[in-house]
Amino acid sequence: MGILSAKLSAVKPSQTKAMTALAATLRAEGKSIITLSQGEPDFGTPENISQAAINAIHAGRTKYTAVAGIPELREAVVRKFQRENSLNFTTDQITVGCGAKQLLFNALVASLDAGDEVVFPTPCWVSYPEMIKLAGGVPVPIETRVENGFIMRPDDLRAAITSKTKWLMLNSPSNPTGAVYTRQNLEDLAAVLRDFPDVWVLADDIYEHLVYGEAEFSTMAEAAPDLASRTLTVNGVSKSYAMTGWRVGYAGGPIELVKAMNTVQGQSTSHTCSISQYAAVEALNGDQSFIREFRDAFKVRRDLVVNLINNIPGLECSTPDGAFYVFVGCQKLLGRDTPSGKRLETDMDFAMYLMEEAGVAVVPGSGFLAAGFIRISYASSEDDLKKACAAIGQAVSKFPSPQDVA
Ligand code: PMP
Ligand code: GLU
């Protein structure tokens, strides 16, 4: 009998983390690798936020805090939800953890019994199915299509719900597709959910501020206020404030659930870092103008990458409305042989080929439950993005043409 639980043997490691770790290993061996495999803004954390953390250290704010987070931060979160989403919470409806990731995990652990089902549209973030399994639940993917802009159709949601369904997990703007659910899209899904009063909504709004052009952000508890009593709204400072490493996420929802999430956290990590919490207070209460600057920069990078990628024969992508990922179809290149004679059967083979031949780390679509794609994060510098796309183009041009092979 091995040491691992049966549950863990069904859980896969995070592919975003795995590709990023492989890139780091190759770089340490002296290879030149551009990492576009992890959704992480290349900007530094704004100075006022870093200074708030330094002040917190000097003021001795280095002790354990309340499990749900320091009161100042929960108050700042209450104001943020009010200001930006017209959602009204009391501070005891707010909980803070080690990133949005941990809030999602806490919510699932707090609510799932063995065999409970969680539905979510795919392509989805790599961690959704695995977290659900870790919490003892059963992931139920709902496939969306490129033709529909990767937006889940209400009928597909209805067809996926069973008597065991506990949650709909919905991430908009979406990782990895960048799809943004409009208010109307959310209202249409809400109309389905009204027929299933036991199904709760886990709204993952981590990319809230990263929407471009005409697209507008909306969240379920705001679009369908009657569902607020069964919605947990999750967000965090990682993406909007360039604070990925600080590990601060937060959630607002019904008290009974939030209390149970605090129990999970109080018996595991206790709380996120005290210093990070003081930094997050400044992020949410302080100057917000750089959010627009970040967004403007990302929009330029998005357009750059979409253009460069669509100019590479065999690769195609649409222009995403949000987040900072381009989801690129590579089906046309599968089945081709590399110059060294290896056949590319899967998107994983293609991603590994790009790592070795182009020196570019991307994530295979199968990690997001969407075979035949790769995900490129454009949260890197324009210079790196240009170099990476040129290297991808060159690597693809090295495939012997079908005539040569014949
Ligand atoms: N949700 C989605 C869809 C994500 O892509 C991420 C990745 N960072 C998270 C949640 C978690 O972010 P964090 O834990 O850094 O707040
Ligand atoms: N969410 C980001 C991504 O998808 C960061 C890595 C992770 O936590 O998965 O790249």
Side-chain angles (χ1 to χ4, degrees):
M1 201 172 64
I3 184 66
L4 298 187
S5 67
K7 188 165 66 180
L8 239 292
S9 64
V11 176
K12 296 194 284 284
S14 162
Q15 281 217 17
T16 54
K17 300 290 181 201
M19 291 307 273
T20 307
L22 178 58
T25 307
L26 293 175
R27 211 177 300 113
E29 286 168 6
K31 301 210 173 69
S32 153
I33 305 280
I34 301 177
T35 307
L36 305 182
S37 51
Q38 180 150 263
E40 173 159 73
D42 65 323
F43 308 117
T45 301
E47 189 47 40
N48 60 314
I49 298 175
S50 299
Q51 191 57 51
I54 292 165
N55 295 347
I57 294 174
H58 289 155
R61 311 268 193 226
T62 51
K63 311 281 192 211
Y64 289 133
T65 75
V67 168
I70 56 173
E72 299 91 311
L73 179 51
R74 279 179 287 145
E75 280 155 22
V77 171
V78 165
R79 282 194 294 275
K80 179 269 175 240
F81 276 132
Q82 229 154 28
R83 180 174 75 229
E84 299 187 338
N85 312 110
S86 311
L87 297 179
N88 294 310
F89 293 111
T90 51
T91 45
D92 51 1
Q93 290 183 283
I94 302 296
T95 177
V96 172
C98 302
K101 200 175 210 171
Q102 196 195 358
L103 275 314
L104 297 170
F105 183 72
N106 288 352
L108 295 170
V109 170
S111 59
L112 295 185
D113 284 314
D116 282 346
E117 295 175 0
V118 180
V119 300
F120 51 90
T122 62
C124 64
W125 181 33
V126 290
S127 293
Y128 282 2
E130 310 312 314
M131 272 186 194
I132 294 165
K133 286 188 259 175
L134 268 176
V138 179
V140 179
I142 303 176
E143 200 185 323
T144 66
R145 304 188 157 275
V146 190
E147 309 84 87
N148 302 326
F150 292 113
I151 297 288
M152 178 171 59
R153 295 179 305 189
D155 283 348
D156 292 339
L157 172 61
R158 183 181 293 281
I161 294 177
T162 72
S163 58
K164 291 192 172 162
T165 308
K166 201 108 187 214
W167 288 101
L168 160 64
M169 283 178 91
L170 194 62
N171 170 224
S172 172
S174 150
N175 175 6
T177 64
V180 177
Y181 283 73
T182 62
R183 197 182 171 104
Q184 186 61 51
N185 291 144
L186 295 177
E187 283 174 11
D188 294 346
L189 296 177
V192 173
L193 293 171
R194 285 189 190 105
D195 292 339
F196 301 97
D198 295 331
V199 177
W200 283 52
V201 181
L202 195 35
D204 178 351
D205 295 353
I206 191 76
Y207 298 101
E208 166 175 18
H209 291 117
L210 303 175
V211 288
Y212 312 108
E214 303 289 289
E216 272 183 38
F217 173 81
S218 190
T219 191
M220 189 60 96
E222 184 189 18
D226 60 313
L227 297 192
S229 59
R230 50 174 161 132
T231 298
L232 184 74
T233 306
V234 175
N235 209 323
V237 296
S238 287
K239 316 289 175 172
S240 302
Y241 300 91
M243 291 178 71
T244 45
W246 298 79
R247 309 310 300 132
V248 183
Y250 53 85
I255 255 178
E256 186 193 7
L257 173 65
V258 168
K259 269 191 179 167
M261 290 168 64
N262 289 336
T263 302
V264 174
Q265 184 152 288
Q267 298 290 23
S268 52
T269 59
S270 293
H271 56 77
T272 193
C273 166
S274 60
I275 299 154
S276 296
Q277 292 187 54
Y278 284 94
V281 171
E282 175 62 19
L284 295 178
N285 287 348
D287 175 26
Q288 305 290 305
S289 59
F290 50 82
I291 290 182
R292 210 184 51 232
E293 288 162 28
F294 287 172
R295 181 168 53 219
D296 291 348
F298 286 137
K299 183 170 183 294
V300 172
R301 296 172 185 190
R302 175 197 66 166
D303 294 340
L304 175 77
V305 172
V306 167
N307 268 323
L308 292 173
I309 291 293
N310 279 323
N311 277 331
I312 301 174
L315 293 182
E316 55 201 346
C317 62
S318 50
T319 303
D321 284 331
F324 39 49
Y325 307 107
V326 177
F327 207 49
V328 180
C330 60
Q331 294 93 335
K332 289 185 181 152
L333 297 179
L334 301 185
R336 302 283 294 272
D337 292 320
T338 68
S340 62
K342 184 174 182 301
R343 178 144 304 171
L344 299 180
E345 306 280 7
T346 64
D347 48 51
M348 182 53 149
D349 294 343
F350 183 52
M352 292 312 295
Y353 174 69
L354 292 183
M355 182 87 87
E356 284 153 19
E357 188 64 35
V360 179
V362 300
V363 188
S366 45
F368 306 93
L369 303 192
F373 290 84
I374 55 166
R375 188 196 75 175
I376 294 179
S377 164
Y378 58 83
S380 298
S381 71
E382 273 181 56
D383 196 37
D384 270 358
L385 293 170
K386 280 184 199 156
K387 281 191 199 137
C389 290
I392 293 173
Q394 266 207 340
V396 167
S397 74
K398 287 184 188 160
F399 293 144
S401 70
Q403 303 91 287
D404 296 343
V405 175

